[in-house]
Amino acid sequence: MGISKPAAERLARLARLLEQRIEAGMDGFVSSSELEQMTGWPSHTIRKDISRLGAGIPGNAEEADAFSTPSGYEPGGLAACIRRVLSLENAAHNCCVVGLGRLGSSFLNYEAFAGTPFTLRAGFDSNVNRIEILQGEFPLYPTFRMKEVIPRFDIKFALLCVPGECAQASADKLFSCGVTGIVNFTSAVLSAPPGTAVENVSVLDALGALAARLAFNRLK
Amino acid sequence: MGISKPAAERLARLARLLEQRIEAGMDGFVSSSELEQMTGWPSHTIRKDISRLGAGIPGNAEEADAFSTPSGYEPGGLAACIRRVLSLENAAHNCCVVGLGRLGSSFLNYEAFAGTPFTLRAGFDSNVNRIEILQGEFPLYPTFRMKEVIPRFDIKFALLCVPGECAQASADKLFSCGVTGIVNFTSAVLSAPPGTAVENVSVLDALGALAARLAFNRLK
């Protein structure tokens, strides 16, 4: 494919930053050193990531050139090309939240999904009381109804917010119901069948990365 | 330094995975292809990351060799070397939570910090009622007391869980009180003064990365 997983992740974030910039009224050309400022990544990495957008998909090479001008990148065109290449432009990816404790329930009225390709369609918790008490902008179900609800809403992605000791069992259940991608908020290391993917979101990894970066700054 | 930011992040995560493996009783040698399985990263990337551990710090080259055997890596030695090189082994990095809504309050009884170099020392919220109602394993304060509390507990890291529109103002306040690293859970793009660092934790980035990876799998 010519685009690595880290590059795909950087490009997905870059598209979002460019769109935020345009929304803020800054729609002028943007140089790779400005992109470095915005993202914190070295400008040569960004240029390389962008140059790979055209690779591998017929017709993209021309499109990839169209937003690259001598005065910099045209932000709207670049963001659109990233979304197209990464399949982030399609209608909606239907998502669910699994585990409605404090973290999971923080997604019940989560406004940041508006205007993104991701829509929350359902929430699940094994505690029926919790489901009756909580109110969200999407329906909540007991876990045993996954098998019926997930295919009905064509849900492909899950935000996994259950306790660590239940994480693999929940993931197995989700995959067996047709979910193909899990954002894993637990500290468990999940195994996933072929054709599926897990993305870990970990505050401890983020803190570890911060500590490592600050240690490097001191050593430099 | 010879270790890039993404490499540092991978290594920090690798150390944690190795330690979880040891805790689970699997303390035998581990090959780079097993590490690939555990982490999802290509084995050559992992080997390269590990080979850079010795670079730049006197004495590390020998230490970095000590855990590398013909039968694979010795997991305890490798994890300890990563922690030492990345300065993740030192006593405690004191942390605080800022913004005690659903997401922020999910850290009030967060057990995953036990046994890590990170300790939550304080929580802050501008809503005094919320502070009186919530109960955590560490004290909670109104935001206006940051200037006094953060230096007192020698807090260097903050988990930023405020609404996006307050994020930069909160970050500025934290940096001015002596915080050097922020884990940013908001969707705002933060600017940070020299010598400080921000690590973004974003469910939308994670979903974008999942969508991109799954699209690649289909195209491969």
Side-chain angles (χ1 to χ4, degrees), chain A residues 1 5 9 13 16-17 20 87 102-103 105 112 187 189 198-202 204-205 209 213 215-216, chain B residues 1 5 9 13 16-17 20 87 102-103 105 112 187 189 198-202 204-205 209 213 215-216:
Chain A
M1 265 302 304
K5 175 174 169 279
E9 294 175 5
R13 181 155 179 84
R16 222 152 62 73
L17 292 174
Q20 286 176 345
S87 300
R102 276 174 172 158
L103 173 62
S105 63
S187 56
V189 181
V198 173
E199 196 69 26
N200 297 299
V201 172
S202 158
L204 283 167
D205 286 344
R213 281 165 68 189
F216 286 153
Chain B
M1 265 304 302
K5 174 174 168 282
E9 293 175 6
R13 180 153 180 85
R16 222 151 63 72
L17 291 173
Q20 286 175 344
S87 302
R102 275 175 172 158
L103 172 63
S105 63
S187 55
V189 181
V198 173
E199 196 67 28
N200 296 300
V201 172
S202 158
L204 284 168
D205 287 345
R213 281 166 68 188
F216 287 152

Side-chain angles (χ1 to χ4, degrees), chain A residues 130-165:
Chain A
R130 201 177 265 174
I131 289 164
E132 283 170 1
I133 292 164
L134 291 170
Q135 288 253 322
E137 300 188 343
F138 45 84
L140 307 180
Y141 302 94
T143 307
F144 69 81
R145 291 189 58 192
M146 271 185 186
K147 199 91 208 169
E148 157 216 344
V149 172
I150 286 178
R152 197 205 309 157
F153 289 114
D154 191 30
I155 290 170
K156 294 297 176 196
F157 294 120
L159 312 182
L160 189 62
C161 306
V162 299
E165 59 272 24

Side-chain angles (χ1 to χ4, degrees), chain B residues 17 56 124 129 156 178 211:
Chain B
L17 291 173
F124 296 98
N129 281 341
K156 294 298 177 196

